[in-house]
């Protein structure tokens, strides 16, 4: 019968990719759109990393590799976890996937039975919901607010835990809010996970982008009990501006990592051989470029916060990491501006795009309709021009 599966019918497209496509179309049409939609760094991949990719092509490193990633790369990841996170793993506890999104996908495929519950905070990264559902799981979404820094508390999680709870996803620093969990909160969540026996999926893709001197804390570090039930997810996309190369990775319990590898062996097989070589250079080579990008993002973060301070009716939590700010615009809802009726984040995003040609991502896609996500992975000139337009549009 020519009908799609329920899965195929029900999976939603990524709402962030949809608005990005609309913004890009306007740019292609020659319109002067200021883009705050990007979910990726605007910098080029550092030169020495690109060269490693080119060298591997020249050397003929263009064939299948080990499904879980070449051993040199897994060893480099083991070393990275040891040096940066004080976490000791064996290579057999590490897997390389086609981007961290794919890592999370494979984790949920490996651990979820139909009806299993996976808890995470709203505002959330859009893919968590669909990845959980595609694995047959049930997303249990817990609302967090600006006053709690958009971070789940242990009590909020404890209230949701049932005998169906399979995992809790923690994303720190967070996309879309830019906030981070403090280590005491993580320790409490870790203790609960050990006590109630559920996995932690710790999405640490923005680990290297922290501001104001904050240090990254991985929830897996508190003791061996929590380490044994935690997947630490990371990748090269955000830290090294390598989104197109598609390399993510995880460390976690060996039996689950092995299942992920078997699942991967029947879907993508190995991540691209040349991208693995580039990732090896990224992770084991000089980290200077990472720091200079971080410094640039911190300056832009300061600028965009300062500019929002000058706009009435918009509040925000100062981002501590990543490259997003997630202000609350709801004071402007129920207004009609230039004939645009603004009822929620989708309306406001359309208004800003069509009236003043500023592209932002409506918060509704992240489970927070009061808010809008603006990426500051763009130049200071563009941040200033864009915020001039937003101020004019909202404050007249
Ligand atoms: C970008 C992102 C990822 C994954 O990125 P990949 O390019 O697939 O490695 C994972 N989690 C969050 C929160 C992200 O923003």
């Amino acid at each position: 019968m020519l009908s799609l599966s329920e899965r195929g019918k029900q999976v939603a497209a990524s709402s962030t990719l949809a608005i990005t496509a609309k913004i890009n179309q306007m740019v292609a049409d020659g319109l002067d759109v200021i883009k705050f939609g990007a979910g990726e760094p605007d910098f080029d991949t550092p030169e020495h990393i690109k060269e490693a990719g080119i060298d591997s092509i020249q050397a003929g490193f263009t064939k299948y590799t080990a499904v879980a990633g070449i051993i040199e790369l897994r060893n480099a990841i083991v070393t990275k976890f040891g040096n940066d996170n004080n976490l000791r793993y064996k290579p057999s506890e590490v897997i390389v996937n086609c981007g961290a999104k794919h890592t999370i996908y494979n984790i949920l495929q490996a651990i979820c039975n139909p009806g299993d519950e996976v808890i995470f905070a709203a505002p959330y990264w859009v893919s968590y919901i669909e990845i959980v559902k595609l694995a047959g799981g049930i997303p249990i979404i817990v609302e967090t607010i600006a006053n709690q820094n958009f971070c789940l508390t242990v009590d909020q999680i404890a209230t949701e835990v049932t005998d169906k709870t399979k995992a809790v996803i923690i994303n720190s620093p967070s996309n879309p809010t830019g906030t981070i969990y403090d280590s005491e909160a993580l320790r409490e969540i870790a203790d609960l996970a050990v006590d109630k026996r559920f996995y932690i999926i710790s999405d640490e893709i923005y680990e290297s982008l922290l501001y104001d001197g904050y240090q990254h804390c991985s929830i897996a570090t508190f003791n061996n009990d929590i380490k044994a039930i935690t997947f630490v997810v990371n990748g090269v996309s955000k830290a090294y501006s390598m989104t197109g190369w598609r390399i993510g990775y995880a460390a976690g319990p060996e039996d689950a990592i092995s299942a992920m590898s078997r699942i991967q062996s029947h879907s993508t097989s190995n991540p691209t051989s040349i991208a693995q070589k580039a990732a090896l250079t990224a992770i084991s080579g000089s980290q200077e470029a990472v720091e200079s990008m971080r410094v640039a993002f911190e300056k832009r973060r300061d600028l965009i916060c300062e500019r929002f301070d000058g706009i009435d009716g918009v509040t925000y939590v100062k981002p501590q990491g990543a490259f997003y700010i997630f202000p609350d615009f709801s004071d402007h809802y129920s207004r009609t501006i230039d004939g645009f009726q603004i009822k929620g984040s989708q309306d406001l995003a359309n208004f800003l795009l069509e009236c003043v040609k500023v592209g932002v991502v409506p918060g509704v896609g992240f489970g927070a309709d009061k808010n809008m996500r603006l990426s500051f992975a763009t130049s200071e000139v563009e941040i200033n021009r864009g915020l001039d337009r937003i101020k004019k549009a909202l404050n007249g």
Side-chain angles (χ1 to χ4, degrees):
M1 282 200 300
L2 293 175
S3 66
L4 299 181
S5 67
E6 289 309 310
R7 187 187 307 117
K9 279 186 236 169
Q10 276 165 22
V11 66
S14 166
S15 61
T16 53
L17 296 182
I19 187 92
T20 308
K22 186 170 172 185
I23 294 167
N24 288 342
Q25 185 56 50
M26 289 177 69
V27 173
D29 293 344
L31 298 169
D32 172 30
V33 180
I34 297 168
K35 302 193 284 178
F36 292 108
E40 60 184 349
D42 54 323
F43 300 105
D44 200 4
T45 303
E47 210 54 46
H48 69 291
I49 298 173
K50 291 200 282 190
E51 271 162 25
I54 294 165
D55 288 350
S56 76
I57 296 176
Q58 300 294 5
F61 193 74
T62 54
K63 304 292 172 65
Y64 292 135
T65 75
V67 168
I70 55 176
I71 189 65
E72 300 95 305
L73 178 54
R74 277 185 289 149
N75 282 333
I77 292 166
V78 165
T79 304
K80 180 254 175 257
F81 279 126
N83 291 345
D84 296 358
N85 309 103
N86 199 25
L87 288 166
R88 315 279 151 208
Y89 292 106
K90 297 178 285 184
S92 57
E93 296 170 308
V94 166
I95 185 169
V96 185
N97 316 96
C98 308
K101 184 181 282 187
H102 185 225
T103 305
I104 298 167
Y105 185 89
N106 281 350
I107 291 170
L108 285 152
Q109 290 290 321
I111 66 173
C112 255
N113 281 315
D116 282 354
E117 297 173 352
V118 179
I119 299 170
F120 52 89
Y124 44 73
W125 184 51
V126 289
S127 289
Y128 294 146
I129 294 191
E130 299 302 326
I131 290 175
V132 168
K133 286 196 206 156
L134 285 167
I138 301 172
I140 304 294
I141 297 166
V142 181
E143 200 179 320
T144 62
I145 57 173
N147 274 343
Q148 65 189 107
N149 223 16
F150 298 113
C151 292
L152 289 172
T153 66
V154 70
D155 293 337
Q156 281 183 304
I157 297 171
T159 308
E160 300 296 336
V161 171
T162 70
D163 56 0
K164 286 283 182 193
T165 303
K166 183 51 70 91
V168 171
I169 306 176
I170 301 287
N171 177 212
S172 177
S174 154
N175 174 6
T177 67
T179 56
I180 61 175
Y181 283 71
D182 68 50
S183 60
E184 206 33 56
L186 290 177
R187 185 187 294 275
E188 290 173 353
I189 295 168
D191 289 346
L192 183 73
V194 169
D195 181 37
K196 300 286 182 189
R197 308 304 301 158
F198 53 78
Y199 290 109
I200 297 286
I201 300 169
S202 183
D203 181 349
E204 304 182 10
I205 191 92
Y206 294 101
E207 167 186 23
S208 62
L209 295 174
L210 281 170
Y211 312 124
D212 306 322
Y214 282 110
Q215 294 294 310
H216 180 69
C217 173
S218 174
I219 191 168
T221 50
F222 295 117
N223 53 59
N224 282 331
D225 291 339
I226 186 63
K227 177 169 171 271
I229 57 173
T230 299
F231 297 89
V232 182
V233 177
N234 212 320
V236 297
S237 283
K238 309 292 163 51
Y240 304 97
S241 204
M242 290 177 71
T243 46
W245 297 78
R246 309 311 303 131
I247 297 288
Y249 57 85
E254 195 166 2
D255 60 340
I257 296 290
S258 164
M260 289 166 68
S261 178
R262 281 177 277 129
I263 289 166
Q264 179 154 299
S265 78
H266 299 295
S267 52
T268 59
S269 293
N270 60 275
T272 307
S273 58
I274 55 183
Q276 288 188 67
K277 285 286 193 184
L280 174 60
T281 295
I283 292 169
S284 52
S286 162
Q287 302 298 300
E288 241 169 73
V290 179
E291 177 58 11
S292 60
M293 290 190 274
R294 191 199 66 76
V295 168
F297 282 130
E298 184 159 3
K299 270 185 79 183
R300 294 161 174 190
R301 191 262 334 232
D302 291 343
L303 174 64
I304 203 164
C305 287
E306 187 192 310
R307 294 301 316 261
F308 269 117
D309 289 340
I311 299 180
D312 292 332
V314 180
T315 58
Y316 64 86
V317 177
K318 191 172 186 185
Q320 299 157 296
F323 40 71
Y324 310 102
I325 188 167
F326 199 59
D328 181 328
F329 285 80
S330 61
D331 273 5
H332 294 282
Y333 296 175
S334 78
R335 289 180 64 190
T336 299
I337 314 175
D338 291 347
F340 275 83
Q341 256 204 320
I342 297 168
K343 298 207 193 86
S345 62
Q346 192 79 58
D347 292 338
L348 186 57
N350 280 328
F351 163 68
L352 290 175
L353 189 56
E354 285 167 35
C355 264
V356 292
K357 300 198 185 63
V358 172
V360 303
V361 186
V364 66
F366 306 98
D369 194 38
K370 290 180 171 175
N371 303 69
M372 307 285 243
R373 191 190 75 176
L374 284 85
S375 159
F376 48 88
T378 185
S379 69
E380 291 175 43
V381 171
E382 289 293 278
I383 290 171
N384 274 319
R385 290 178 70 221
L387 272 286
D388 285 346
R389 292 185 188 184
I390 294 173
K391 183 175 167 66
K392 190 151 172 281
L394 296 178
N395 296 161

